[in-house]
């Protein structure tokens, strides 16, 4: 099968696997869907499936790195309260 920049059949076959992996790593289902989709788009955009021998394992590696990057980014941008301090209640 010739691999093109976008293959709807390949996307359709890989998305459920990517989503299942993302949901096993991320508690928020919507965030997991975004990560799975973004990773597939990244693979197609960069045309990595053209040179990959096993598209599924390559996608999972890209997804794994994307999850780690996003979690790291969220941890950096989420303000941390000093030790022992609580979030004030709304009045």
């Amino acid at each position: 099968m010739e691999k093109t920049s976008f293959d709807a059949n390949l996307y359709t076959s890989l998305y459920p696997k990517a989503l299942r992996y993302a949901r096993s790593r991320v508690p928020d289902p919507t965030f997991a869907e975004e990560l799975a989709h973004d990773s597939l788009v990244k693979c197609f955009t960069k045309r990595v499936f053209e040179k990959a021998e096993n598209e599924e394992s390559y996608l999972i590696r890209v997804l794994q790195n994307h999850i780690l990057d996003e979690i790291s980014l969220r941890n950096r941008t989420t303000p941390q309260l000093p030790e022992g301090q609580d979030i004030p209640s709304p009045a």
Side-chain angles (χ1 to χ4, degrees), residues 14-62:
L14 291 175
Y15 180 76
K17 296 169 185 174
L19 182 57
R20 190 170 32 255
Y21 181 84
R23 283 185 175 163
S24 74
R25 302 292 191 267
V26 177
D28 179 356
T30 303
F31 187 43
E33 289 174 12
E34 289 175 20
L35 292 167
H37 173 75
D38 290 350
S39 296
L40 271 159
V41 169
K42 181 185 256 185
C43 287
F44 282 113
T45 302
K46 296 192 175 200
R47 302 174 72 115
V48 297
F49 288 143
E50 292 179 7
K51 49 192 171 227
E53 288 184 33
N54 184 329
E55 293 93 352
E56 183 180 345
S57 64
Y58 198 93
L59 170 63
I60 295 302
R61 178 58 54 107
V62 169

